[in-house]
């Protein structure tokens, strides 16, 4: 298996290529009646390509596997099966040294800016820490200049007026900007943003999303934007991938998925987004029942117990997603033919 640093095999078009990725967790001891060990199928056969400078929104209810997918891409969880290519190199299984080196190029932004920041450190110390950990910018002046640039790129201007403050002296939106600056300071090529606005007031969500959009323009960074809220996707994603129970069930251009979702699950998610204009409102689709247990998945299409248009065949046929080059196709379209 190729590792970081070995000869590249990919074209420059894709920064990330995920193939048949699985991440299963052991779910305790088998019960009296089970035949073998039980596994939680958190990520189950996910394939995804991301172009350089592209923003893909990964959308789904909590527990659908989107956060586990991002942790696996980041190497914070070990993949069970499948491959992850980043800039042409196989990064599926790396040792600690290789993983540390990779973190310079892939950074993650977590949802809680309150938890992510050490309250005893100044903003300058927080943002410069990744440079110290990676042994970059050894002189103080050099470090300070990179911190200043990262803070200003994250919209905290002038940077000098924030550097000696502590996290509690900032608003929620400013703290999330500090978190983003901490990621930017290493000049990553890919950002994994896991619900970066869900803890913020509605009034500042758009500011943070606009900031990510600006960074993609100014720095050419690729972004995987993870959210449970399809309503935030329309701002800047190029494509949308909808996840359900560990699988991507629909993927396509943002405008296509938002205006004409094909999969019944995507249709249900979109139907409950508040729309101010009553003429544009869609009929609300309230899904019945709970999301099935990821240890004991339904047979056939795993959405069939909740799907409002399921047919008998859906209980026995497991449809696979097919993505045609520029248009999206949902699994159930194929099944219905
Ligand atoms: Fe619904 Fe069947 Fe399509 Fe699954 S395959 S989403 S159950 S119609």
């Amino acid at each position: 298996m190729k590792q970081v640093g070995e000869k590249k095999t990919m074209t420059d078009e894709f920064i990330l290529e995920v193939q048949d990725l699985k991440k299963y967790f052991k779910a305790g001891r088998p019960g009296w009646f089970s035949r073998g060990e039980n596994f939680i199928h958190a990520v189950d056969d996910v394939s995804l390509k991301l172009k350089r400078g592209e923003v893909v929104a990964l959308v789904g209810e909590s527990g659908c596997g989107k956060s586990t997918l991002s942790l696996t891409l980041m190497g914070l969880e070990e993949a069970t099966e499948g491959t992850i290519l980043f800039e042409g190199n196989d990064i599926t299984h790396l040792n600690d040294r290789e993983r540390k080196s990779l973190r310079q190029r892939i950074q993650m932004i977590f949802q809680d800016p309150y938890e992510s920041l050490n309250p005893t450190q100044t903003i300058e110390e927080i943002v410069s820490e990744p440079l110290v950990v990676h042994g970059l910018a050894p002189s103080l002046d050099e470090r300070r200049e990179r911190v200043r640039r990262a803070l200003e790129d994250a919209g905290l201007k002038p940077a000098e007026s924030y550097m000696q403050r502590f996290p509690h002296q900032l608003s929620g939106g400013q703290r999330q900007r500090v978190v983003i600056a901490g990621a930017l300071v290493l000049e990553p090529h890919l950002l994994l943003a896991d619900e970066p606005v869900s803890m913020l007031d509605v009034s500042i969500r758009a500011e943070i999303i606009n900031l990510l959009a600006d960074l993609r323009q100014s720095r050419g960074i690729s972004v995987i934007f993870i959210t449970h809220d399809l309503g935030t996707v329309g701002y800047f994603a190029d494509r949308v991938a909808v996840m359900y129970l560990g699988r991507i069930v629909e993927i396509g251009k943002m405008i296509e998925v938002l205006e004409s979702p094909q999969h019944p699950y995507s249709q249900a998610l979109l139907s409950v987004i508040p729309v101010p204009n009553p003429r544009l409102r869609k009929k609300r689709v309230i899904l019945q029942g709970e999301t099935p247990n990821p240890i004991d998945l339904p047979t056939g299409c795993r959405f069939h117990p909740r799907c409002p248009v399921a047919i008998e065949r859906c209980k026995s046929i497991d449809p696979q997603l097919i993505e045609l080059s520029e248009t999206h196709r949902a699994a159930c379209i194929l099944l219905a033919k």
Side-chain angles (χ1 to χ4, degrees):
M1 185 174 290
K2 291 182 301 301
Q3 297 292 318
V4 163
E6 286 190 26
K7 191 170 174 288
K8 293 185 180 187
T9 54
M10 298 288 300
T11 65
D12 272 353
E13 186 184 5
F14 297 107
I15 189 166
L16 183 75
E17 196 171 33
V18 179
Q19 192 66 45
D20 305 327
L21 190 68
K22 295 181 181 174
K23 176 61 195 174
Y24 296 170
F25 296 98
K26 275 190 188 165
R29 294 181 182 177
W32 285 104
F33 301 106
S34 57
R35 273 170 279 169
E37 278 192 294
N38 292 321
F39 289 94
I40 298 167
H41 298 70
V43 175
D44 205 6
D45 239 345
V46 164
S47 297
L48 177 71
K49 287 180 182 176
L50 184 71
K51 290 180 183 165
R52 287 185 184 279
E54 188 183 28
V55 177
V56 169
L58 203 54
V59 185
E61 296 165 301
S62 59
C64 71
K66 55 193 189 306
S67 291
T68 305
L69 174 59
S70 69
L71 292 172
T72 311
L73 296 180
M74 189 76 192
L76 296 172
E77 293 290 354
E78 186 76 18
T80 307
E81 272 181 37
T83 52
I84 307 165
L85 298 183
F86 175 72
E87 298 188 321
N89 297 303
D90 191 330
I91 60 161
T92 319
H93 304 285
L94 300 181
N95 61 33
D96 289 349
R97 187 181 51 78
E98 293 165 330
R99 186 72 59 204
K100 185 177 169 192
S101 144
L102 182 73
R103 296 238 167 87
Q104 292 176 36
R105 288 174 286 151
I106 306 181
Q107 280 285 300
M108 199 152 181
I109 299 168
F110 293 97
Q111 81 181 103
D112 190 348
Y114 302 89
E115 292 263 313
S116 308
L117 302 177
N118 182 338
T120 66
Q121 288 184 309
T122 64
I123 302 307
E124 181 177 358
E125 287 167 342
I126 290 169
V127 178
S128 64
E129 194 166 281
L131 295 173
V132 176
V133 168
H134 289 277
L136 302 169
S139 82
L140 182 62
D141 282 352
E142 218 178 323
R143 242 179 1 250
R144 188 160 279 169
E145 174 53 23
R146 281 182 71 164
V147 169
R148 193 194 61 73
R149 208 164 357 119
L151 286 171
E152 299 221 333
D153 279 3
L156 294 170
K157 297 179 190 172
E160 288 76 9
S161 65
Y162 293 93
M163 281 159 86
Q164 298 315 312
R165 293 203 221 171
F166 289 88
H168 72 270
Q169 296 171 308
L170 304 181
S171 68
Q174 288 170 333
R175 288 183 214 205
Q176 193 57 299
R177 288 175 188 273
V178 172
V179 172
I180 292 171
L184 290 181
V185 78
L186 290 175
E187 301 179 357
H189 301 176
L190 171 62
L191 277 182
L192 302 174
D194 190 357
E195 303 271 12
V197 296
S198 63
M199 300 281 286
L200 302 177
D201 288 346
V202 174
S203 58
I204 46 181
R205 284 181 189 176
E207 284 180 23
I208 297 296
I209 288 171
N210 287 340
L211 168 62
L212 291 171
D214 290 347
L215 289 173
R216 170 262 192 88
Q217 288 293 337
S218 61
R219 292 193 174 213
I221 298 178
S222 311
V223 182
I224 295 185
F225 182 82
I226 297 160
T227 180
H228 68 280
D229 182 3
L230 255 172
T232 59
V233 164
Y235 286 97
F236 79 119
D238 297 302
R239 287 188 298 149
V240 178
V242 181
M243 274 190 88
Y244 182 77
L245 264 183
R247 285 255 175 97
I248 291 178
V249 295
E250 179 163 6
I251 185 164
K253 285 183 178 174
M254 180 268 290
I255 198 78
E256 290 180 344
V257 176
L258 294 192
E259 289 190 355
S260 145
Q262 301 294 299
H263 195 278
Y265 177 63
S266 317
Q267 289 166 358
L269 281 185
L270 270 157
S271 76
V272 293
I273 294 177
V275 177
N277 184 342
R279 281 186 299 169
L280 296 178
R281 271 181 212 149
K282 296 191 167 95
K283 185 168 174 277
R284 283 169 74 91
V285 180
I286 307 296
L287 295 174
Q288 302 300 314
E290 297 291 320
T291 308
N293 184 345
I295 299 174
D296 187 17
L297 291 167
T299 58
C301 172
R302 55 189 66 190
F303 187 54
H304 87 255
R306 303 175 75 199
C307 180
V309 292
I311 55 176
E312 198 54 32
R313 290 171 69 196
C314 302
K315 294 180 184 169
S316 55
I317 296 177
D318 184 6
Q320 296 292 318
L321 175 87
I322 289 186
E323 184 189 8
L324 301 180
S325 53
E326 289 302 319
T327 46
H328 61 270
R329 288 287 183 276
C332 60
I333 296 178
L334 301 171
L335 187 60
K337 282 181 179 170

